[in-house]
Amino acid sequence: MPVDDYFQHRAPAYITASENWPWSSLRAVESEAFFSLVGIIDGLDVLELGCGAGFYTSKLVKFGARRIWAVDRSDAMLAQLPEGPIESILADATNLQI
C-alpha cells in the first residue's frame, strides 16, 4: 500500500491509536524531549511540517502557540486536527512554497 493510501486509511483512528500502549509510552518520551529542546512557545507562530492527525498540533495549542500552520499531504489527516488557531495546509513539505 503506498504511503498516501496508508495514511488516508489510518487517519480516523490515528490519534486514538497513539493514545494507547505501547505507542503512548513512546509518544510521552518523544514529546517531553521535543518540548524540552523547543522551549517556551507561548505567543509564537509555528510552522508544523508533517502534522499528521495533530498529536503535536494539540500540544502546541495547549502550550500557547499564537498561530499554527499545520502542513500535511493527507487531507484525511488534516481533517483530524484539533480546534484552535490552526491553519491547515494540504501540501507536500518537499515542495511547499511559503
Side-chain angles (χ1 to χ4, degrees), residues 41-61:
I41 59 150
D42 188 39
L44 296 179
D45 293 336
V46 178
L47 172 63
E48 183 184 11
L49 299 175
C51 65
F55 176 80
Y56 280 103
T57 314
S58 63
K59 290 186 178 303
L60 291 165
V61 169

Side-chain angles (χ1 to χ4, degrees), residues 1 7 13 17 25-26 37 47 52-53 57 70 75 82 84 88 90:
M1 181 182 297
F7 285 108
S25 297
L26 296 170
L37 292 170
L47 172 63
T57 314
D75 58 344
S88 63
L90 180 62

Side-chain angles (χ1 to χ4, degrees), residues 17-34 55-56 59:
S18 72
E19 293 170 346
N20 293 315
W21 191 88
W23 199 1
S24 60
S25 297
L26 296 170
R27 278 283 169 107
V29 172
E30 175 189 88
S31 179
E32 184 178 326
F34 175 78
F55 176 80
Y56 280 103
K59 290 186 178 303

Side-chain angles (χ1 to χ4, degrees), residues 5 8 27 32 39 46 49 53 60 63-64 69 71 75 89 94 98:
D5 292 342
Q8 288 290 104
R27 278 283 169 107
E32 184 178 326
V46 178
L49 299 175
L60 291 165
F63 292 129
W69 290 272
V71 180
D75 58 344
I89 301 169
T94 62
I98 301 174

Side-chain angles (χ1 to χ4, degrees), residues 59-88:
K59 290 186 178 303
L60 291 165
V61 169
K62 178 182 174 184
F63 292 129
R66 185 174 71 126
R67 187 169 177 194
I68 303 162
W69 290 272
V71 180
D72 203 277
R73 61 191 266 174
S74 167
D75 58 344
M77 285 292 195
L78 291 173
Q80 305 304 312
L81 291 175
E83 295 292 319
I86 302 162
E87 181 177 336
S88 63

